[in-house]
Structures are given as C-alpha cells and as structure tokens.
Amino acid sequence: MQLLRVHRTFPKLKKVITRRYSQALQLEENEYTDAPVYPPIIDTSLEARKLRIRQTLHKKIQEINTVEEKQIALNMPRFYGWQSIVLNDNKVPFNAMPLVQHYTRTHFQSIDKLPEIYAKSSPIADTIVQEIKSCIEECIATENEGVERNIVTSLDKPEKQQISDAHTKNIVKQINRIILNNLTDKVSHILSSQVDYDPRHEAFWFIGSVDLPWDVRKWRKKQKWYKGRLDQPLDRPVQYIGSPILTIRNHLPLKPIIDHSEAENPDFKVPKFSHIPESVGYFSEFRHGTNIPGFWPGDFDEFGLMSFHGRGHILDRSESFGPEDNLEALHCQAIKASFGWLLAQASYQGFTTFNDLTYPLVTQTVLTDGHLVSFYAYQLNTIVMHNDEVDSNPKHNVCFGTKPLELYETIENGKVKGLNEDVLKMLVQFYLNAPEERDHAMKPYLGKEEQIIADIEDDNRRCWLESRYKHLVANRPKHFLLPELYDWEKIYKIKFNTRFFEARRRPFEFDINPFKRRLDDHLPPYIPKVLRPYPKSRKKFETTYYPNV
Amino acid sequence: MKLSNVLYRQHVGFMFKKHWAVQGRRVPIDTSIEAKLKAKGIPVEDALEFVKEKPEPRERIEIIGKYEQVKPLDENHPDYKERPCLTLKNTSVLLEGISQAQVLTKSIIAEDKLPQRIEEMAELSAPKAVHEGVKKAILSANVFDCEQKKLPKIKDAERPAFNFPRILGISDRRKNEILTNKLLQLVEKSNDAEVTQNKYVVNDAECHSVFDKDGDLIKFQDVSGILVTSNKPMKHELNENDIPFIEIPDLYPVKHTVTLPPEHFYSENSKYPLRPSVSKKHPHTTWLHFNRTEVGNLYETPVTPTQILGRSLTHAFTVASAYAKQLHGEDVKDLPEPIHINCIQTDGQRFHFGVFELNTLNVDGTDGTKNVWYCKNDVKLYDSSRYLSGMPVLENYNPKVYGYINAFYNC
C-alpha cells in the first residue's frame, strides 16, 4: 500500500526500480573458454592504488578533445587555484641556476658560436650583414642620441631597470625592422610571420621531487594514515609569467637542433634541486594555472621563431652577487623564458604537463640591453616532470647559450664605433633559420574535428566553455572573499576554547578544509521561472560543461 | 570587507582602546575653586605653563629619497609663467571639432580629396598574401591578443542604475598599437629594401608646438602612435584651385579658444622628437590613435565624429609646425617652402586619411596665406571583428584601406 502511494507521487520511480532477478535468466553462451582467462593481477598496496588513480586522470586529460578544455581540466582539482611557485622573467635571485634547471629539466651548454644547423646559412648571413651594417649603425646612434623620448616610470619596479628596458625596446624594434625588411625578398618565411610587441607569455606545469613545505609536513604528522610516508614528495605547481619585448611567430615549427632520440643522451645532466623554492627566493601565489604563448587558441601562427628580452633586471642586482652570478642570472632568464614559451606552445598542440611531447620544439631567445647581446637556442624535448616521472623520465631539454657579446664598442659624436659584425651575423642567422613542415602528426592528443573550442558545434557548450576559459585564465579576483581563519578565532576558539557555548558554524569547527574544493563545486546560475522553457520545465539551474576528469 | 562584524565578535583590546579614547576626552569639572581663590586675592597660575615648553622652530629637512621629490606647483616652480598658455593635449578634443581646428590652424579643407598621385597609387592591387596578412593583423588586434584588462563600464540607457559585470578584454590602446604596427610592418615588408632603408619609424613620438593667435598663446601637445620619417622632405604636387570652399568658417558665438584650458606651467619652446643632427628626420607620415577610453571632451559629453576629424587636423599641424620651427627657428611666419605631411588617424576600425600642407605659421586672423588640409574620412577597414558566440569573426574586410596606406607610405 505504502509503495503504491509512493508510486503515485513519484511516477518515474517505477522505471528506476528494476527487477534484478529477471536478468539471471539471460545466460551468456560464451561463458566458458578453453584456457582459463584470469583478470590481471594488480598491486593493491595504497601507493599503487593512488598511482593508478593518477594515471587514469592523466589518461582522461589526454583523451579530451580541445585545447581549452585540457587547460580547464588541469585546474579542476582546485576551486581557488593552485598554490603555484611563480617564476617571473624580470627577477632572478642569487644562485637560482640549479633550481631553474631542475624545474625546467634543462641541460645548459655554454657555446661560443651557434650550433651546427646554423652553419648552412653562414654565407648568406655574411652578405646580409654587409648590406644592413650601415643602417644598424645609424639606428643605434639615432636611438641613443637622436630621439627625444619621455620615459614614464612607475613605482612598482626599480627606475633604472625601467629606463633600461624602455631603451632596449626602442633599439630592438629598430633592429628587427631593418633585418625583417631586408630579408623579406630573400627568404619566404618572413612575410608570413607575425611580429608581436609585449605579448603575454604564461606557462604552468608540475614539478616533482621537491622537499615538502613545513606546514604540509606538520599537517601530515597529525594524520595517522601518513604514518611511515611522512616525507613522501609532493607535486609542486609552477607558473611562469613573462612578457618579452618582441616575438616572431610562424605557422610552421623550427627544425630541431639535435635529434629527438638524442634527448635521452645521459650526457645531458640536470642537477637535482630538492630544497624548497623559498630558500632561493621564489615564492608562491594562489592562481589558476595558465598556458598562454601570446595568442588565444585558433591563431594560425602558433610556433615561435624567436623572442627578444630585456636585461634591465641585472642593474637592480646587488653588487655582492658578482659577475659570475649575473651571467648565470642571464642564463636563468633565457631558460625560463624559452621553456615557458615553448611549453605554452606545446599546450596549444594538445600536450600538457601529464602528456609528454611526441616531437621536439625549438625556439631562439635573445637577451639584450641594446649594447650587450646574448643568444640562446632552446630545444624542448619533454614537459613531463611531475612526481611520478621526474626520476624515471630519460629525456631532458637542452639550451645552448652564449655569453653576452658586445654589439658595438662605443658611440662617439653620434657615430657607432667598432660594430661587431660577428654578433650581427649571429642575429641574422637566427632570422634566417627557416621553419619547416614536419612529417609527423602535430596534434596527436587533440580531436580530429574538434581541436579548439571554436570548432565545437553545440552552441551552448561552445559559448559556455569560451567564457569559462577566458574567465579562468584571467585570474581575476573571486566575487566572494577567500575563506579565512580570523586571528580572533584562532585565539578564542582554537587555542583556548572560550566560546564552547556557541553553535558551530565555521568550517574548521567541522574539520572541513574550505580550500579542498573542486572547480565545478559551485551552484550553477539559477534560471528564473519566467525564463524557463514553455510549457513546464523543472530545470532550475543552467547546464555546466566542465570536462569530466 | 566590513571589518566591524568580525571584530565585534570578540576583542577585549578594542573595548579598552575605546574606553581610553572616551576617558581621554573628559572635560574637567569646574570646581569653582579658581573664583574663590581670586576673591581672596591669591594668584592662580595655569599649571600647563610650567609643564609645557614652547617647541623650538625646526628647519625643514631635505630628505634624499629613492625618487626625486616632485616640486610643488606654485609660483616658484621653474616652469611657472605669468601668461597663461591655452593647451590642447592629445587626450582632449576641440568643442567645435573640425571647424574650430580650421580657425586655430588657419586651414582650408579639400573635403574627400587626396592628391592625385595617392589616389592613383591606392588603386594598385596588392598580392593576396599581403591581404591575408592584413586580415591576420585585424584578427590579432581584436580577437587573438591575450591582454585581459578591465574594459569600460557597460551602461544601459533604459536602466542606468544597473551594474553589468565588468568584461575583461583588449584595451583600445593595445588594439590600435597592434593593428597600426602590423599594418606598417606589412607595408614595409611588401616594399623594396631600398625604399624602407630611407625611412625611419619611431613609436610614441611626442611633438609640442607653441604659437600666438590673436593675442593668445596656444600650445598643441600631441603624441604620434607611429611617426614615419624619411631622409628627404616629402613633396606633393597639389593644386589649390581644386578646392571649392576657401573660406575659413566663422564660429560665432563661440570663441576659437573654447575648451583650451589655460595653464601656467609650460615651456615656451616647441619640440620635435628627432634632433636636427639625425639624417632621416623629415616627417613623412604620422599615425594618430584614437583611443576612445582616453580621449574625451572637457565637459564629459561623448566625442562626436567632427571632433575626431578635428583631431587629425590639429595633429598634423602640430607635427608639421614643430618640424618647421626646428628647421627655421621659433619665430618663423610664412615658410619659404611649404611642408607636407601625411596623417592617418584610426580608432582600430575607421581610418581617416589626410595630407596637410603647411604654408604659414602666422595664424592670426583669417586672411592672407592659408594652410591646406586634404582629407578622406571614414573609410572602414572591416565591419566587425570579435568573438561571436565563441568563434572568431571578421566581417566585410575592405581591401581599399591597405591601398591607401601603401600609397601614403610610397609617396
């Protein structure tokens, strides 16, 4: 009787309650095989189970179709963003080289002349240098003495650094203009390339094998299930944020400097740096991980050729750091900038920090202040360096870099004295390095028809994902303030239980960690009754299209 | 966040502080003892006079800080002048727009007419790859650039109190910078190296021009987004007889100096960004950006189309006159040879082309030698370029604009 009443109120319940026993009649005919087939034996230890959970997550991210959804998927576990170690491009602390090398898994090789693949363009470069030599001399002299500029500085950065960077920007624009204009008729890839000023470069990845922060260790000590694995390392999210002066990009990638198989060469050693990043001078910040190579997904020219960076931050370094560390700081800046840009480019090809590159990517980086120029060629071979892979991944990234070289000796009476043609030639060779079509699949982990959000056919889903993605990567402050444990609560409620008579309302009184919240753990926008579809709709909330990971 | 809610929950210290604050302001009760003592002839003295010593006057200490102290804007400021200077900056516009600009610069206008050579060269068709490049540039400026800055507030006239969510996107300054720079790069790339070698490109070049008009001192301060200069002065073959109206308009009842605020802190010299020693200093084409969020009327009314056109004329005049003053000295009036300059103004979508001929810097009255302004206004590069329901869109690309830009560069 009671069941009947229930059925009347919820008519659909009948369909939900199925009769299990009726299925027993359908016996499978092929239930028996000749040889016994056993299910695979799986390790049931806690660590193995956890590993399998992580691996399925990585697999799920790999199977997502579009670039933007993969980026959202990387951020799914954290509603308030990852507490990421922020690597900036305009500040390098003392002795940061080991950390930067470990975090980017980069082997650095100091060179005096460019790697072998540049040898082919040497004779053309010589003639071009002769053609543009006088123009370059003139533009350097003009920029230094001939143009009156009003440089506005802000208070957030050292004044010297800002003035130096502004000056560098002007010279780099001039030199780039002269070389591009000269090369357009001679090489075909220049006309189709795009030049960007001050683009936004951001990259996000996970790094393993870093010591635990003290507060995590303190928390683990209190948990009984962490007994015996107190010091188990943790994935640390890393975010690179930078803005080069000028970048050039093309729709084709550059040729690899070394063969992809060479990436596993054990000679390429990367020092392990397991100390916490705060010990060097890199700090963390809550933010959603972003991978942005200077343009949104959908732009045709998605491979970088070269980028120019200022080196004004060297002026702000303490004198006691010494020239050797200043040189290392330049190397660090180049490694961070190259890796960051390439990783962001790779993420637009569908790779993430959990799904490794299947082919190498190359970029060229120039650090300059208008007078001193250093050249770097960087090959990205691997981007997987999270905790499970950091020790077993045989591949390393390679960076070839020169010392800072003088472009000219002095400027006297408005004339440049002693222009160093070798340096100019190296620069021209960077421009001459032509991108090439590769004969393998460039986007193996992206869908066939849907590669970016704009390809999605469902209007609602496309619009929702587009706005969600842009909102996520904007990292704008939340509408509501972040959850916080106030000092008075810590004193009067936690340390000394003076308010035992009060009702428990705050999360810490229920042992809830408010930061342990997934990105989709929120109420979707409410649909007012008047806006719901006619005639009758019980759907109160709008649909969300978060990736299923 | 309002802190009081949290602080009220429990904070003994605040209660104490409040208590002290209240008690500290207590008024002493008059015990009338003073009057009684005085009546008995006993002298009463104020206790505070014994406690308090008068503070010695201290000299102001000049502290050498990280940054130079900004001097107060008063009569001792080195730039202070008694005579006010009526200043037009690149962030403001003239009230009467183009006609006021005409009076101020003493120019006559050839409407919708450019020099014959430019019109001919603009007809030449460019290769397809170049137009592809222009389309890329438009998309990259409007859609694909990753800047995410707060855009201006959205207002609905129907419900003015409604607060829309702030949208993040590409600011109009950045849009203009990207578009104009990429267009110029394309023009230069598609030209021969010999042509480009004779030109020089400066970004954000600032020009100041100070002149007298009918007894008022007037200063134009302008910034070229891009200033293209060349190694020899540019010459156009112009025929003034083509111009139908050679009258300068009468602004009555408005005075021509309206919306030029007087300033007392200024320098009396004109300024041209390139020094005389530079060989490629002769101005060729100046690109003016119209950033809608930055440029506005003094009285906060929306900027009208004629005001935007007026900007082109004053801008071209500023650059040309600053150059003329560098060439011939500060007091030059009628120029021995006219100076020509091209001007392209854009708000990222509409392009206003103009050619300015500077004949005289004597702008008093409306008679005598006049300057000439040839212009072709309101040419649209495209109809719309944005994300339309999640997809990048470029509608109705107009290939003619590139022709004009190319012609301006080559003449």
Side-chain angles (χ1 to χ4, degrees):
Chain A
M1 190 60 210
Q2 217 172 13
L3 198 71
L4 263 176
R5 206 176 294 147
V6 167
H7 276 196
R8 246 174 238 155
T9 26
F10 303 104
K12 277 183 189 163
L13 205 66
K14 253 186 205 167
K15 289 174 201 164
V16 177
I17 303 171
T18 47
R19 298 183 178 181
R20 301 261 164 205
Y21 49 82
S22 64
Q23 287 173 2
L25 294 172
Q26 302 170 349
L27 275 179
E28 274 189 46
E29 286 177 14
N30 301 338
E31 199 176 345
Y32 299 98
T33 53
D34 296 341
V37 180
Y38 297 106
I41 301 169
I42 44 175
D43 190 354
T44 52
S45 68
L46 179 69
E47 276 169 33
R49 273 181 288 151
K50 290 264 180 196
L51 178 69
R52 275 199 297 278
I53 291 172
R54 288 197 295 272
Q55 279 168 347
T56 41
L57 172 78
H58 303 167
K59 189 83 188 150
K60 273 183 180 172
I61 292 180
Q62 183 179 318
E63 280 162 4
I64 293 174
N65 273 344
T66 62
V67 175
E68 290 96 326
E69 278 177 291
K70 281 187 198 237
Q71 297 304 319
I72 298 175
L74 281 182
N75 284 298
M76 279 309 277
R78 292 285 185 279
F79 184 84
Y80 294 104
W82 295 98
Q83 192 180 8
S84 331
I85 302 159
V86 178
L87 306 184
N88 280 318
D89 71 336
N90 55 12
K91 197 161 190 239
V92 184
F94 179 70
N95 197 15
M97 187 88 165
L99 178 138
V100 171
Q101 276 190 291
H102 176 220
Y103 279 29
T104 60
R105 210 177 173 82
T106 306
H107 172 76
F108 181 77
Q109 246 176 25
S110 188
I111 49 166
D112 291 327
K113 53 181 185 185
L114 296 179
E116 252 175 50
I117 57 153
Y118 290 94
K120 215 165 55 178
S121 61
S122 176
I124 317 165
D126 276 325
T127 55
I128 288 165
V129 166
Q130 292 309 318
E131 280 174 29
I132 60 170
K133 204 174 118 188
S134 59
C135 286
I136 298 274
E137 276 177 349
E138 195 192 340
C139 89
I140 293 170
T142 313
E143 281 303 327
N144 277 296
E145 291 180 356
V147 186
E148 271 180 66
R149 278 213 167 83
N150 191 11
I151 296 170
V152 183
T153 52
S154 59
L155 291 174
D156 58 343
K157 271 190 211 167
E159 203 175 6
K160 263 197 245 166
Q161 181 181 342
Q162 289 183 53
I163 291 173
S164 159
D165 283 342
H167 178 67
T168 313
K169 191 178 279 181
N170 296 325
I171 293 189
V172 165
K173 279 182 188 174
Q174 297 299 344
I175 294 178
N176 171 62
R177 173 181 168 262
I178 292 169
I179 299 180
L180 278 190
N181 289 344
N182 190 288
L183 289 186
T184 328
D185 308 336
K186 296 178 180 103
V187 276
S188 59
H189 66 270
I190 294 288
L191 183 65
S192 59
S193 306
Q194 283 196 59
V195 179
D196 294 326
Y197 294 150
D198 307 314
R200 173 179 167 195
H201 284 187
E202 290 177 10
F204 175 77
W205 69 99
F206 285 100
I207 179 74
S209 167
V210 180
D211 287 352
L212 290 180
W214 67 271
D215 47 345
V216 174
R217 200 167 184 283
K218 203 177 119 197
W219 176 82
R220 279 188 184 181
K221 263 187 187 169
K222 281 190 252 164
Q223 318 300 335
K224 60 176 185 294
W225 60 85
Y226 265 107
K227 216 173 181 185
R229 48 194 193 104
L230 207 59
D231 285 315
Q232 204 176 34
L234 192 78
D235 268 342
R236 297 294 303 268
V238 188
Q239 174 80 51
Y240 166 77
I241 303 169
S243 174
I245 293 172
L246 187 150
T247 59
I248 304 172
R249 54 194 167 89
N250 198 286
H251 63 279
L252 294 174
L254 287 174
K255 287 173 295 229
I257 304 170
I258 52 172
D259 202 56
H260 193 41
S261 55
E262 189 83 346
E264 295 179 12
N265 191 340
D267 291 345
F268 295 148
K269 283 195 188 89
V270 173
K272 194 169 170 179
F273 188 88
S274 60
H275 303 293
I276 54 167
E278 284 83 356
S279 64
V280 178
Y282 284 111
F283 297 94
S284 52
E285 201 178 286
F286 272 99
R287 49 177 296 138
H288 296 295
T290 51
N291 277 301
I292 298 170
F295 52 91
W296 295 128
D299 198 323
F300 198 44
D301 296 325
E302 48 188 11
F303 296 101
L305 300 188
M306 64 189 299
S307 64
F308 286 89
H309 297 255
R311 37 172 282 169
H313 65 96
I314 297 289
L315 300 174
D316 190 43
R317 305 191 93 216
S318 165
E319 250 178 54
S320 59
F321 287 7
E324 200 182 320
D325 192 72
N326 281 350
L327 179 66
E328 278 194 358
L330 288 179
H331 297 335
C332 286
Q333 190 195 357
I335 292 173
K336 280 192 283 187
S338 317
F339 178 83
W341 195 23
L342 284 174
L343 173 57
Q345 287 169 32
S347 68
Y348 278 18
Q349 301 300 313
F351 304 102
T352 64
T353 176
F354 298 128
N355 317 116
D356 203 1
L357 273 172
T358 51
Y359 52 85
L361 281 175
V362 172
T363 188
Q364 309 167 110
T365 308
V366 180
L367 304 187
T368 177
D369 62 351
H371 182 208
L372 295 167
V373 191
S374 31
F375 300 92
Y376 295 88
Y378 193 98
Q379 176 161 335
L380 188 76
N381 296 314
T382 179
I383 52 177
V384 172
M385 45 195 94
H386 58 86
N387 220 352
D388 303 332
E389 298 275 342
V390 68
D391 294 324
S392 56
N393 187 355
K395 289 185 211 159
H396 293 101
N397 304 316
V398 195
C399 179
F400 302 93
T402 67
K403 287 188 177 122
L405 307 163
E406 279 194 340
L407 184 58
Y408 56 89
E409 277 165 20
T410 50
I411 298 174
E412 284 170 18
N413 308 328
K415 288 265 157 61
V416 172
K417 288 268 162 72
L419 185 83
N420 191 344
E421 287 180 23
D422 293 339
V423 176
L424 193 57
K425 187 182 154 190
M426 282 184 179
L427 189 60
V428 171
Q429 278 177 307
F430 267 16
Y431 277 91
L432 283 174
N433 189 7
E436 255 182 19
E437 189 133 27
R438 303 264 180 98
D439 53 2
H440 48 69
M442 296 304 285
K443 300 176 178 180
Y445 298 153
L446 289 183
K448 284 207 177 84
E449 264 130 49
E450 285 175 7
Q451 298 199 328
I452 49 171
I453 285 176
D455 298 337
I456 294 175
E457 276 188 10
D458 180 0
D459 273 351
N460 294 331
R461 181 154 170 258
R462 174 168 17 88
C463 293
W464 188 90
L465 278 171
E466 162 70 21
S467 70
R468 188 71 192 98
Y469 173 69
K470 293 281 158 71
H471 188 266
L472 189 84
V473 296
N475 266 311
R476 65 192 296 181
K478 295 250 176 275
H479 183 70
F480 292 111
L481 285 169
L482 259 62
E484 183 184 350
L485 178 65
Y486 301 115
D487 282 351
W488 73 268
E489 286 176 329
K490 194 159 186 183
I491 298 168
Y492 297 110
K493 285 193 163 184
I494 296 176
K495 279 197 167 171
F496 310 100
N497 189 13
T498 62
R499 299 167 73 94
F500 46 83
F501 44 82
E502 274 183 359
R504 290 178 189 176
R505 296 220 168 87
R506 306 274 291 144
F508 64 88
E509 289 165 333
F510 296 103
D511 267 346
I512 293 172
N513 180 3
F515 283 93
K516 207 174 169 190
R517 183 172 169 189
R518 278 172 64 84
L519 195 63
D520 55 355
D521 188 2
H522 64 85
L523 215 56
Y526 177 73
I527 312 172
K529 268 192 178 170
V530 279
L531 298 181
R532 287 182 208 165
Y534 189 78
K536 227 178 187 184
S537 171
R538 301 232 166 200
K539 201 183 151 204
K540 284 187 179 176
F541 297 99
E542 284 172 15
T543 326
T544 59
Y545 299 91
Y546 285 105
N548 179 27
V549 291
Chain B
M1 188 187 83
K2 208 171 176 187
L3 283 171
S4 40
N5 257 347
V6 178
L7 291 174
Y8 284 155
R9 290 221 176 123
Q10 179 151 357
H11 201 308
V12 179
F14 267 81
M15 205 267 288
F16 256 84
K17 275 185 195 166
K18 195 80 189 161
H19 193 64
W20 273 96
V22 172
Q23 295 294 322
R25 264 183 252 123
R26 233 161 59 157
V27 183
I29 306 160
D30 186 15
T31 50
S32 74
I33 199 142
E34 198 180 332
K36 279 180 187 169
L37 286 174
K38 268 185 185 166
K40 288 188 177 174
I42 301 167
V44 179
E45 302 213 19
D46 188 4
L48 287 178
E49 272 184 27
F50 294 90
V51 179
K52 237 188 214 167
E53 278 178 22
K54 275 177 191 166
E56 285 174 22
R58 275 186 289 180
E59 276 182 28
R60 196 183 165 82
I61 307 164
E62 298 267 323
I63 299 166
I64 302 167
K66 240 180 165 179
Y67 300 92
E68 220 172 279
Q69 293 281 334
V70 181
K71 281 182 184 150
L73 286 176
D74 55 18
E75 285 162 22
N76 301 323
H77 195 273
D79 279 346
Y80 179 78
K81 311 269 169 12
E82 191 77 19
R83 190 183 177 197
C85 179
L86 307 174
T87 316
L88 176 72
K89 291 186 179 160
N90 63 327
T91 51
S92 59
V93 286
L94 298 169
L95 179 73
E96 292 292 312
I98 188 88
S99 42
Q100 194 184 349
Q102 257 183 292
V103 177
L104 282 172
T105 61
K106 203 175 163 187
S107 313
I108 48 174
I109 296 186
E111 196 72 57
D112 213 13
K113 194 173 273 178
L114 288 176
Q116 192 59 34
R117 201 155 146 257
I118 290 182
E119 292 284 3
E120 279 165 16
M121 280 164 77
E123 295 294 316
L124 301 176
S125 62
K128 207 181 163 200
V130 172
H131 284 299
E132 287 304 311
V134 180
K135 282 182 195 168
K136 265 190 205 171
I138 297 169
L139 279 174
S140 141
N142 291 298
V143 175
F144 288 128
D145 189 65
C146 295
E147 193 181 59
Q148 290 189 301
K149 279 203 177 142
K150 262 188 189 172
L151 298 183
K153 278 184 184 170
I154 304 166
K155 279 287 167 198
D156 186 4
E158 301 264 303
R159 17 173 210 175
F162 194 88
N163 289 326
F164 289 94
R166 272 313 258 287
I167 293 176
L168 301 187
I170 314 167
S171 60
D172 49 1
R173 166 181 276 269
R174 178 135 176 107
K175 271 185 191 175
N176 281 338
E177 273 170 11
I178 295 176
L179 183 68
T180 51
N181 278 309
K182 287 202 172 177
L183 282 177
L184 187 68
Q185 278 159 12
L186 269 172
V187 170
E188 292 207 308
K189 276 187 208 167
S190 57
N191 274 299
D192 291 337
E194 288 78 46
V195 182
T196 54
Q197 263 178 19
N198 299 329
K199 300 249 162 64
Y200 197 77
V201 176
V202 190
N203 280 100
D204 299 325
E206 210 174 325
C207 288
H208 295 181
S209 171
V210 188
F211 55 93
D212 265 304
K213 173 158 174 79
D214 300 336
D216 292 316
L217 189 65
I218 296 175
K219 182 177 190 180
F220 285 175
Q221 284 184 17
D222 238 328
V223 180
S224 317
I226 306 171
L227 180 65
V228 181
T229 58
S230 64
N231 59 348
K232 55 176 189 277
M234 186 185 49
K235 279 276 157 284
H236 280 299
E237 285 166 17
L238 302 169
N239 189 5
E240 275 180 39
N241 300 331
D242 296 348
I243 305 163
F245 307 108
I246 51 166
E247 286 294 306
I248 288 175
D250 185 13
L251 295 179
Y252 185 83
V254 174
K255 201 193 168 189
H256 59 262
T257 54
V258 69
T259 62
L260 297 184
E263 280 201 15
H264 287 276
F265 304 93
Y266 59 92
S267 112
E268 280 166 332
N269 296 327
S270 299
K271 181 181 148 192
Y272 181 67
L274 293 166
R275 298 216 168 84
S277 58
V278 180
S279 63
K280 297 170 190 165
K281 64 176 173 182
H282 309 284
H284 185 279
T285 306
T286 166
W287 293 66
L288 176 62
H289 294 161
F290 177 72
N291 304 330
R292 202 167 277 281
T293 50
E294 291 167 18
V295 182
N297 265 305
L298 210 58
Y299 304 112
E300 298 181 4
T301 48
V303 181
T304 60
T306 61
Q307 288 179 330
I308 298 172
L309 301 185
R311 269 184 103 226
S312 283
L313 178 51
T314 51
H315 177 77
F317 178 80
T318 314
V319 180
S321 61
Y323 166 70
K325 289 191 174 186
Q326 192 193 59
L327 209 63
H328 302 292
E330 199 71 42
D331 298 324
V332 66
K333 290 297 176 196
D334 285 352
L335 298 176
E337 259 190 47
I339 291 169
H340 292 132
I341 184 167
N342 301 333
C343 177
I344 304 174
Q345 185 181 203
T346 179
D347 64 347
Q349 187 185 18
R350 285 164 195 284
F351 279 73
H352 314 291
F353 298 98
V355 174
F356 187 65
E357 184 186 48
L358 186 73
N359 294 315
T360 179
L361 280 168
N362 176 17
V363 288
D364 290 337
T366 53
D367 302 323
T369 337
K370 288 171 195 142
N371 304 315
V372 193
W373 172 243
Y374 297 81
C375 59
K376 189 169 186 83
N377 295 324
D378 276 341
V379 192
K380 259 191 180 178
L381 181 61
Y382 55 89
D383 272 354
S384 86
S385 170
R386 66 212 152 99
Y387 270 109
L388 182 67
S389 64
M391 287 184 291
V393 167
L394 171 63
E395 281 173 1
N396 290 348
Y397 164 66
N398 177 9
K400 275 186 191 160
V401 177
Y402 177 80
Y404 277 110
I405 295 170
N406 194 29
F408 266 46
Y409 186 83
N410 279 309
C411 64

